[in-house]
Amino acid sequence: MKAVIFDMDGVIVDSEPIYNKVHADMLREFGITEFLDCPEDYTGMTSIAVFTKTRELYQLKQTIAEIAAYQRDIIIREIKKLEDEPIAGIRELLASLKKHKIKTAIASSSERLFINTVVDKFGLHNYFDVIVSGDDIENSKPAPDIFLKAAHLLCVEPANCLVIEDSKSGTIAAKAAAMKCVGFANPNSGKQDLSQADKIISSIHEINILEYIKTLNFK
């Protein structure tokens, strides 16, 4: 193992409840009273993919740009208001990776503005060598694009990367990128099918990097 690639939402910070609330509030503001979707439908997707799917599903008259603008300011404000720390175990894991000189990246479908807001708020910039956002790729998860781009920027072969994900689409993307994957069963991410992951955990504290190097058969 030469690199660990983190999803952000639901892995580094419990932001999924924020996105879900803002999404529901937006639909009500636009006059939608009967919801046809559920939060799990969007976990792991880029913002543009979410907005496009939402607009088509509800036949909204608002443009993608208008939907994005409505959500962007509210989400950033809510992230900045978060009083919680990053998800339990994240700080310790990042410190351990730094100690063992293992490269790190964030590969999140969120907009770069959201990622930077989270990283700034919690003072995590020094822990990540690379950040790849949904703005940087053409195809959203479950396509492997975002993880392959992160590996390329880290100068690490995919087979030597470990991905930490909390979503079905993310675990599928990681395996499609020929990477090892740990699925984090975060209750706030909904009932995600993490069966594609090499290992499933219920707490970030369960991750043991030295053990994984031995047991997950990295090349």
Side-chain angles (χ1 to χ4, degrees):
M1 182 197 304
K2 294 184 179 178
V4 175
I5 303 175
F6 293 76
D7 180 34
M8 182 183 76
D9 300 304
V11 172
I12 294 175
V13 62
D14 244 336
S15 48
E16 295 292 355
I18 293 175
Y19 295 142
N20 298 340
K21 181 180 184 303
V22 172
H23 181 76
D25 289 347
M26 179 195 72
L27 290 176
R28 294 188 190 97
E29 181 70 20
F30 292 167
I32 304 299
T33 56
E34 183 177 348
F35 295 166
L36 305 174
D37 53 0
C38 60
E40 293 96 308
D41 295 339
Y42 302 119
T43 305
M45 294 174 62
T46 64
S47 298
I48 295 302
V50 172
F51 300 152
T52 300
K53 183 174 180 178
T54 302
R55 187 171 186 267
E56 293 173 352
L57 181 62
Y58 292 101
Q59 298 183 334
L60 299 176
K61 66 178 184 295
Q62 288 81 8
T63 65
I64 299 296
E66 288 170 335
I67 295 171
Y70 179 92
Q71 291 207 10
R72 188 173 291 115
D73 291 344
I74 298 174
I75 289 173
I76 289 174
R77 185 170 68 244
E78 291 300 317
I79 290 174
K80 288 181 177 179
K81 283 167 52 180
L82 278 174
E83 295 181 358
D84 297 336
E85 273 285 289
I87 286 175
I90 283 294
R91 288 196 186 277
E92 293 88 344
L93 176 57
L94 289 171
S96 175
L97 293 171
K98 198 172 187 69
K99 175 183 176 181
H100 290 100
K101 295 180 171 53
I102 296 173
K103 295 181 178 181
T104 55
I106 292 176
S108 168
S109 297
S110 287
E111 296 180 41
R112 182 169 290 272
L113 184 59
F114 296 163
I115 299 172
N116 287 340
T117 300
V118 168
V119 173
D120 286 343
K121 178 177 177 58
F122 296 117
L124 299 176
H125 271 293
N126 290 337
Y127 286 106
F128 293 105
D129 300 294
V130 165
I131 292 177
V132 184
S133 74
D135 303 328
D136 303 321
I137 55 168
E138 182 176 353
N139 299 306
S140 183
K141 302 171 188 176
D145 301 33
I146 196 164
F147 294 130
L148 293 174
K149 187 174 183 68
H152 174 73
L153 293 174
L154 289 168
C155 299
V156 175
E157 290 295 321
N160 281 317
C161 294
L162 173 69
V163 172
I164 304 176
E165 262 287 354
D166 69 316
S167 72
K168 176 181 178 180
S169 61
T171 56
I172 293 173
K175 299 310 296 180
M179 298 179 180
K180 302 297 182 183
C181 181
V182 170
F184 171 42
N186 185 337
N188 286 331
S189 300
K191 294 181 179 180
Q192 298 289 322
D193 177 4
L194 303 176
S195 59
Q196 293 293 312
D198 297 281
K199 190 174 182 65
I200 298 175
I201 59 173
S202 58
S203 168
I204 297 296
H205 285 297
E206 294 177 45
I207 296 176
N208 184 319
I209 293 301
L210 296 181
E211 175 193 331
Y212 288 2
I213 290 174
K214 296 177 182 177
T215 61
L216 291 182
N217 300 317
F218 288 92
K219 292 184 178 180

